[in-house]
Every structure is written in structure tokens, then in C-alpha cells.
């Protein structure tokens, strides 16, 4: 297995011009988009439709009027939306379609063009994710980041996955991620608490989200995207 890792969000736009037809892609936005998506699917949501912009979300809502509108900007729920981006909000949406847009995570999910497969990854589903992608010959890990900045928690999750997979070949970014993860293997909460995103969420009164997103391998759901619509569901 060959693994490549994108650790910085400024690298993500270049994926649009890459041929990823032979590459399995995993997107991490641990705080909080992919953690919330994993939580939704684990708790029985029918599907999650990630979009990049608020107008796209509103347009989909017109097409699917019974869908739940979810999303954040600057960490806060978008005005007029049903829920924000907290994993706890996604636990009670069994059977529902969810339309979601976030600052970074949904953009990262939309970035790869025609990948072999695309999955939403989190600390919450790490073991199940490793089992799902273990047979991939080429794996691309995409760390969504925060705004224009690297997000430590995304790099950490990517590194833990790399350690589980023990690839035969990995690029330098993957080695950096796995080295960092190896030095904090049993400290997910400490990593999230000290990350810039974690500190911001705690300051905003959302420490419960940090605690939830730090729980390792509590879920078995690995949301997979449709190759044509990018709608995430269980395969």
C-alpha cells in the first residue's frame, strides 16, 4: 500500500486536477464535520449530502423539503438551519436525509474528482475505517484543516490510521503524521484539548463536542460517498 497525506487545506484545491481513479480517499475533519457525519450514519440517518456553500444547501432543501439543514460558519450554526455541526445534534436524525455545509470539511469532501472510493473518517470510527481501506493499493488521506490553517486533530487522526495500516510506502507528510500520532497514541483527548480548534470550541462552551470527537473507535459506520452525487451513506 502507498499512502499520501495532505496535511494543509491550501493543498486541497489542486486535487480537482488530479486523476484519482485508482486512489481511495479518506477525508478527516475531526472537529467536527466528519465526526458529525459518522455519528449521523451510525445512528441511522438515511444519508448525508455535503455541499460547499450555503446557496447550494438551500437549493437542495428546495429539492428535498423534508431534509434536515445542517451547517456552520465560524463554528456557529447557520441562521435558519435546523442544526449546526455538533455530533450530539446528529444522534436523533435516524431515517432522515441531512444536507450539510461547513467551513472546511464539506469542501474537502467535494475536492477529489472521480476517486476510486471516498470515505468520511474520524477518531470515532478509526478501527472500522482501517478495516475498510486495508486492501487499497493507493490511499490518499485529506486533512480538512480550519480556514486556511492546518488542524492538528486531523493530522493526528490520519497518523493513527497510518499506524494501523503499516503501509509499505508513505510520503513525507504521512511519516510526519504517523510520527506525531505514535508519540500520542493513547492521548486523543489531550491532543484535541490542546489543538487550536479544541481550545476554540472549549472557549465557546462546546467542550462536550471535543470530548465526543476524541472517543476512539466507538462506531463501526464508515460513510462512503456515491461516485456521482457525493451523497454519504453506508455501503
Amino acid at each position: 500500500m502507498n499512502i499520501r497525506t495532505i496535511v494543509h487545506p491550501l493543498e486541497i484545491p489542486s486535487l480537482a486536477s488530479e486523476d484519482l481513479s485508482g486512489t481511495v480517499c479518506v477525508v478527516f475533519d475531526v472537529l467536527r464535520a466528519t465526526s458529525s457525519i459518522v455519528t449521523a450514519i451510525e445512528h441511522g440517518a438515511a444519508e448525508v449530502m455535503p455541499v460547499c456553500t450555503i446557496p447550494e444547501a438551500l437549493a437542495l432543501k428546495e429539492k428535498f423539503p423534508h431534509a434536515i439543514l445542517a451547517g456552520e460558519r465560524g463554528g456557529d450554526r447557520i441562521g435558519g438551519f435546523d442544526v449546526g455541526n455538533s455530533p450530539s445534534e446528529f444522534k436523533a436524525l435516524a431515517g432522515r436525509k441531512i444536507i450539510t455545509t461547513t467551513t472546511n470539511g464539506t469542501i474537502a469532501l467535494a475536492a477529489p474528482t472521480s476517486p476510486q472510493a471516498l470515505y468520511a473518517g474520524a477518531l470515532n470510527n478509526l478501527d472500522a475505517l482501517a478495516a475498510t481501506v486495508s486492501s487499497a493499493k493507493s490511499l490518499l488521506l485529506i486533512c480538512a484543516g480550519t480556514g486556511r490553517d492546518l488542524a492538528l486533530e486531523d493530522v493526528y487522526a490520519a497518523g493513527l490510521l497510518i499506524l494501523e495500516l503499516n503501509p509499505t510506502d508513505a510520503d513525507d507528510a504521512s511519516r510526519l503524521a504517523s510520527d506525531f500520532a505514535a508519540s500520542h497514541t493513547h492521548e486523543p483527548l489531550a491532543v484535541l484539548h490542546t489543538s487550536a480548534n479544541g481550545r476554540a470550541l472549549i472557549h465557546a462552551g462546546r467542550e462536550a463536542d471535543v470530548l465526543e470527537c476524541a472517543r476512539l473507535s466507538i462506531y463501526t459506520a464508515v460513510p462512503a460517498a456515491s461516485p456521482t452525487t457525493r451523497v454519504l451513506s453506508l455501503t
Side-chain angles (χ1 to χ4, degrees), residues 41-213:
I41 297 301
E42 177 74 21
H43 287 83
E47 57 188 25
V48 180
M49 296 176 277
V51 295
C52 296
T53 68
I54 294 172
E56 285 179 283
L58 296 174
L60 267 181
K61 177 67 172 179
E62 289 189 8
K63 186 176 180 181
F64 302 103
H66 298 295
I68 296 292
L69 265 182
E72 60 76 28
R73 288 297 184 269
D76 297 323
R77 185 175 69 182
I78 299 165
F81 277 41
D82 301 307
V83 297
N85 191 36
S86 170
S88 62
E89 297 176 292
F90 285 69
K91 291 182 178 181
L93 303 177
R96 304 298 298 273
K97 291 179 182 287
I98 303 168
I99 301 163
T100 184
T101 178
T102 68
T103 306
N104 280 69
T106 56
I107 292 173
L109 284 163
T113 56
S114 302
Q116 179 180 336
L118 176 67
Y119 300 104
L123 293 174
N124 294 161
N125 69 343
L126 198 71
D127 284 351
L129 180 64
T132 298
V133 303
S134 61
S135 62
K137 293 182 179 179
S138 177
L139 187 63
L140 174 62
L141 309 182
I142 304 167
C143 300
T146 301
R148 295 171 62 85
D149 298 325
L150 176 150
L152 185 66
E153 66 277 4
D154 296 343
V155 177
Y156 177 63
L160 287 178
L161 180 61
I162 295 165
L163 290 176
E164 285 206 37
L165 295 173
N166 191 25
T168 55
D169 186 26
D171 70 348
D172 287 352
S174 299
R175 292 173 60 191
L176 284 170
S178 60
D179 285 351
F180 174 71
S183 64
H184 300 281
T185 305
H186 304 295
E187 302 172 345
L189 185 56
V191 171
L192 268 61
H193 264 154
T194 56
S195 69
N197 253 342
R199 297 196 308 271
L201 286 167
I202 292 167
H203 181 74
R206 299 187 176 105
E207 185 171 10
D209 285 354
V210 179
L211 296 173
E212 185 70 19
C213 293

